[in-house]
């Protein structure tokens, strides 16, 4: 009787009906042969599945490494281009300066070399304090922040009417590295007419725009300037959000402050955009790192604190067997562990888990890397233990395999899980055998089953007494063991056998038999 794999793959298959239709008239030998054929088909399917997992995992790892290598090379190339652009601009500026002065310069002056970030920060802070003092209300528009500073005080300007281009009021323009501030000049109230020390005007902050939110247009380049409106030749238009625009003209005709202001605005905008681009690249790099690790271990998405540190620890080095390795090496070890688990190479997998745990244990001074490795190892240890427990349950009646599986689970720190799985499997076996006896033999022969069960309980009491011989009778450990034994005996109630009162009774007070303890159960 042959097996039809196509029929077994049908999602609409009803197993009970299929088996009844196929084996309804089969002999006992044919049923046994069919069962053997099904087991062989299952083993072959399991082997094919493991091989596919291995091949797919290997291909995924290979593609991931190639993609990461390509990203790294592209970042290096981008950095080289930036350095080339910076050096070219610096050489061009130095060349222009040297050609105008007629001197040859080899680099920065000693004074420039002695300047520091602290000195520059102090200078910028003093500039902002002077601005707050001289321009009333400026701090409301421009609160003090790291790196903010004044680039240019463009001096006095006049605001023009948008429609008639007539003068409206006197203004003063200040350019900062990230904002454009326009202040109105107003007459100051003079309390003492004889006091000539104070200024007759004061500056009040009127409008302020972020540089990246506005467009500053040179009115000299517009058609209106060329059509005869000469007053616009010294004017600029500031076009803000929603196309709202304002026109400002220098107070002095052909004032060089206008061209300087336009040049400085272009430079400041370019620097801001470069800063945003660098920040965007840094964020993208961090996202790439997070996606790289999270794609391999989706459980990391639940570890918010650890996830936030991934971009910082990607290039972190740890010492492994006297060599410096980064966390990508750890990922390689995790890949190998995943392959061992997928192919059910449990011995190699347990060895690798122990090695990685010992590695994490030695990183006491690097808590971040330690948490990262522990998280990945624990996640895989739990998965590995699940496979071993399943095999333990399937082969619990084979002592050699049971000892091997329990040893692996002990090394993985899943001793409790191994014990509970083994005892549950043995309990299920006993219940199945008792249920089988009840269904196969008439009720009149139940006394034979009870007699057999009583003999097994007596044998169990002998074993239990031997194991507890070195324990104080009535003590805490003794009581816990007795409670556990009676709890397992209670499982026999499912087949109408209650031996709870017999478990532990009539145990020998002094057991001299030193034979090694054996497990309770039937094979």
């Amino acid at each position: 009787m042959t097996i039809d794999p196509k029929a077994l793959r049908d999602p609409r298959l009803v197993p009970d009906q299929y088996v009844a239709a196929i084996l309804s008239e089969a002999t006992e030998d044919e049923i046994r042969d069919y069962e053997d054929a099904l087991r062989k088909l299952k083993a072959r399917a399991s082997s094919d599945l493991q091989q596919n997992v291995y091949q797919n995992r290997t291909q995924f790892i290979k593609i991931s490494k190639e993609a990461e290598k390509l990203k790294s090379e592209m970042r290096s190339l981008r950095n080289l281009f930036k350095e080339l652009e910076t050096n070219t601009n610096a050489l061009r500026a130095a060349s222009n300066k040297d050609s105008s002065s007629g001197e040859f310069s080899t680099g920065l002056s000693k004074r420039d070399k002695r300047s520091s970030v602290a000195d520059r920060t102090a200078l910028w802070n003093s500039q902002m304090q002077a601005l707050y003092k001289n321009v009333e209300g400026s701090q409301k528009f421009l609160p003090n922040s790291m790196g903010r500073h004044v680039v240019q005080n463009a001096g006095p300007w006049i605001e023009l009417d948008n429609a008639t281009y007539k003068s409206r009021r006197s203004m003063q323009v200040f350019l900062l590295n990230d904002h454009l501030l326009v202040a109105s000049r107003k007459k100051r109230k003079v309390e003492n007419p004889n006091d000539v020390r104070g200024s007759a005007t004061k500056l009040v902050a009127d409008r302020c725009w972020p540089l990246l939110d506005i467009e500053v247009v040179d009115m000299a380049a517009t058609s209106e300037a060329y059509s005869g409106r000469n007053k616009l030749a010294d004017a600029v238009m500031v076009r803000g959000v929603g196309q709202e625009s304002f026109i400002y003209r220098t107070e002095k005709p052909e004032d060089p402050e206008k061209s300087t202001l336009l040049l400085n605005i272009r430079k400041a905008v370019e620097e801001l955009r470069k800063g945003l681009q660098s920040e965007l690249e840094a964020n993208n790099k961090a996202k790439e790192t997070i996606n790289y690790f999270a794609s391999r271990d989706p459980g990391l998405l639940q570890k918010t604190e650890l996830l936030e540190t991934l971009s910082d620890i990607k290039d972190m080095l740890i010492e492994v067997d006297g060599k410096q390795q980064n966390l990508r090496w750890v990922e390689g070890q995790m890949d190998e562990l995943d392959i061992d688990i997928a192919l059910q190479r449990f011995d190699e997998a347990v060895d690798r888990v122990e090695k990685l745990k010992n590695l994490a244990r030695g990183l006491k001074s690097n808590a971040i890397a330690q948490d990262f490795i522990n998280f990945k190892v624990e996640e895989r240890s739990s998965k590995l233990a699940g496979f071993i427990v399943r095999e333990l349950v399937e082969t619990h009646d084979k002592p050699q395999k049971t000892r091997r599986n329990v040893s692996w689970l002990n090394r993985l720190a899943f001793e409790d899980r191994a014990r509970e799985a083994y005892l549950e499997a043995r309990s299920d076996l006993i219940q199945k055998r008792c249920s089988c006896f009840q269904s196969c033999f008439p009720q009149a022969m139940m006394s034979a089953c009870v007699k057999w069960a009583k003999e097994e309980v007596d044998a169990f009491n002998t074993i239990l007494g031997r194991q507890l011989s070195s324990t104080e009778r009535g003590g805490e450990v003794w009581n816990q063991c007795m409670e556990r034994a009676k709890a397992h005996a209670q499982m026999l109630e499912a087949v109408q056998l209650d031996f709870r009162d017999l478990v532990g009774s009539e145990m020998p007070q002094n057991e001299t038999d030193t034979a090694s303890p054996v497990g309770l159960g039937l094979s």
Side-chain angles (χ1 to χ4, degrees):
M1 187 173 295
T2 59
I3 295 178
D4 184 7
K6 185 177 179 181
L8 295 178
R9 286 195 294 265
D10 188 350
R12 296 170 297 178
L13 175 69
V14 180
D16 294 342
Q17 296 178 3
Y18 179 78
V19 171
I22 295 295
L23 303 177
S24 59
E25 298 180 358
T27 64
E28 184 177 353
D29 291 338
E30 288 176 340
I31 294 175
R32 188 175 293 109
D33 293 340
Y34 192 79
E35 181 183 3
D36 293 339
L38 281 176
R39 292 186 184 278
K40 290 180 181 179
L41 181 62
K42 177 184 176 183
R44 186 164 62 250
S46 178
S47 177
D48 293 342
L49 178 61
Q50 292 176 11
Q51 195 63 30
N52 290 336
V53 170
Y54 171 74
Q55 291 176 353
N56 292 339
R57 182 72 179 180
T58 303
Q59 193 68 18
F60 172 75
I61 294 170
K62 182 178 179 181
I63 294 174
S64 297
K65 290 181 178 179
E66 290 294 332
E68 188 61 30
K69 181 180 178 182
L70 180 61
K71 289 179 182 178
S72 178
E73 291 176 352
M74 290 299 296
R75 283 195 291 266
S76 299
L77 184 61
R78 189 184 297 114
N79 292 334
L80 288 174
F81 273 118
K82 286 183 179 179
E83 292 179 6
L84 178 61
E85 181 183 4
T86 302
N87 293 336
T88 302
N89 292 336
L91 288 173
R92 185 182 294 114
S95 176
N96 293 338
K97 181 178 179 181
D98 294 340
S99 61
S100 62
S101 61
E103 299 178 357
F104 179 77
S105 174
T106 58
L108 297 174
S109 65
K110 293 182 179 180
R111 182 177 182 180
D112 291 334
K113 292 180 180 179
R114 287 194 302 266
S115 65
S116 64
V117 176
D119 295 335
R120 184 179 60 184
T121 302
L123 175 62
W124 290 350
N125 286 336
S126 64
Q127 288 180 348
M128 294 304 297
Q129 295 304 319
L131 180 68
Y132 298 152
K133 180 179 180 181
N134 296 326
V135 181
E136 183 180 323
S138 58
Q139 192 165 7
K140 179 181 67 175
F141 291 107
L142 299 166
N144 205 355
S145 73
M146 182 67 67
R148 177 169 291 164
H149 60 281
V150 178
V151 175
Q152 178 187 358
N153 179 355
W157 292 63
I158 297 174
E159 182 179 351
L160 303 181
D161 185 274
N162 284 3
T164 62
Y165 302 122
K166 292 182 179 180
S167 301
R168 293 185 58 192
R169 53 180 177 167
S170 297
M171 314 295 288
Q172 188 147 337
V173 177
F174 297 88
L175 174 64
L176 288 85
N177 63 308
D178 56 352
H179 282 76
L180 181 67
L181 173 67
V182 177
S184 61
R185 288 183 290 168
K186 298 182 178 181
K187 292 183 179 180
R188 188 188 301 273
K189 293 182 179 180
V190 181
E191 296 180 358
N192 186 2
N194 297 324
D195 187 3
V196 295
R197 292 176 298 176
S199 174
T201 60
K202 67 175 181 177
L203 298 176
V204 179
D206 186 67
R207 296 186 182 93
C208 186
W209 301 276
L211 286 181
L212 295 179
D213 292 347
I214 60 172
E215 180 185 6
V216 182
V217 181
D218 184 1
M219 297 297 290
T222 63
S223 59
E224 294 177 344
Y226 287 108
S227 64
R229 297 180 182 273
N230 295 328
K231 64 172 70 175
L232 296 179
D234 298 318
V236 297
M237 176 186 290
V238 180
R239 186 179 293 123
V241 180
Q243 299 301 315
E244 184 182 19
S245 60
F246 301 89
I247 300 176
Y248 301 99
R249 175 176 58 82
T250 56
E251 194 172 74
K252 298 178 182 179
E254 299 181 359
D255 194 331
E257 289 287 354
K258 173 192 166 183
S259 58
T260 303
L261 177 64
L262 292 173
L263 178 61
N264 287 336
I265 288 176
R266 283 196 293 270
K267 288 182 178 180
V269 170
E270 184 178 355
E271 289 297 323
L272 287 173
R273 287 175 177 166
K274 285 183 178 180
L276 289 177
Q277 182 66 24
S278 299
E279 184 178 351
L280 180 62
E281 290 177 359
N283 290 336
N284 289 339
K285 187 176 180 182
K287 289 180 180 178
E288 288 175 5
T289 302
I290 292 173
N291 292 337
Y292 173 81
F293 288 114
S295 64
R296 292 167 174 262
D297 289 284
L300 278 172
L301 296 174
Q302 308 299 324
K303 298 285 185 178
T304 306
E305 295 181 0
L306 182 58
L307 198 63
E308 292 174 350
T309 63
L310 287 180
S311 59
D312 299 328
I313 68 174
K314 186 192 68 169
D315 300 321
M316 182 184 296
L317 296 178
I318 58 177
E319 185 173 344
V320 182
D321 297 332
K323 297 181 181 179
Q324 295 293 321
Q325 304 283 2
N326 60 19
L327 292 186
R328 292 301 172 91
W329 177 88
V330 175
E331 284 296 325
Q333 295 297 306
M334 297 299 171
D335 292 336
E336 295 296 331
L337 177 56
D338 288 336
I339 292 173
D340 289 337
I341 295 175
L343 297 179
Q344 297 190 8
R345 298 196 294 241
F346 296 147
D347 200 12
E348 293 87 344
V350 173
D351 287 341
R352 201 177 295 275
V353 167
E354 288 182 329
K355 178 182 177 182
L356 291 170
K357 283 186 176 181
N358 291 333
L359 172 63
R361 198 174 296 116
L363 299 175
K364 295 182 180 179
S365 59
N366 194 337
I368 296 178
Q370 190 178 53
D371 291 344
F372 177 73
I373 296 174
N374 280 332
F375 170 78
K376 286 182 165 288
V377 173
E378 290 300 330
E379 192 175 43
R380 286 160 174 81
S381 294
S382 180
K383 182 179 180 181
L384 176 58
F387 284 121
I388 298 176
V389 166
R390 186 176 66 184
E391 182 173 324
L392 172 64
V393 171
E394 292 176 353
T395 62
H396 66 89
D397 56 339
K398 298 178 175 59
Q400 186 175 357
K401 289 187 176 181
T402 298
R403 282 194 295 269
R404 181 194 63 186
N405 292 328
V406 171
S407 174
W408 284 335
L409 291 170
N410 287 338
R411 290 165 62 186
L412 293 173
F414 285 94
E415 303 92 343
D416 294 342
R417 194 170 172 183
R419 181 174 59 252
E420 293 300 327
Y422 176 76
L423 293 177
E424 183 178 355
R426 302 301 290 178
S427 298
D428 290 342
L429 178 62
I430 293 175
Q431 291 182 1
K432 288 178 181 178
R433 293 294 168 86
C434 290
S435 299
C436 182
F437 184 90
Q438 285 181 321
S439 62
C440 295
F441 293 91
Q443 188 69 22
M445 298 185 64
M446 273 301 296
S447 58
C449 179
V450 175
K451 179 182 178 183
W452 166 81
K454 174 62 169 61
E455 292 173 354
E456 292 298 324
V457 171
D458 291 340
F460 175 77
N461 284 335
T462 301
I463 297 170
L464 186 61
R466 185 184 305 130
Q467 292 178 334
L468 298 180
S469 60
S470 60
T471 304
E472 179 185 358
R473 191 178 185 89
E476 181 180 359
V477 175
W478 192 90
N479 288 332
Q480 289 179 353
C481 292
M482 292 302 299
E483 289 176 2
R484 180 62 62 89
K486 290 183 178 181
H488 282 86
Q490 187 177 0
M491 298 177 183
L492 292 175
E493 290 183 359
V495 291
Q496 290 77 45
L497 293 176
D498 186 1
F499 290 122
R500 281 180 297 173
D501 295 336
L502 297 179
V503 171
S505 65
E506 301 180 1
M507 284 199 321
Q509 296 289 337
N510 296 304
E511 183 61 55
T512 57
D513 188 358
T514 58
S516 59
V518 294
L520 172 64
L522 299 177
S523 301

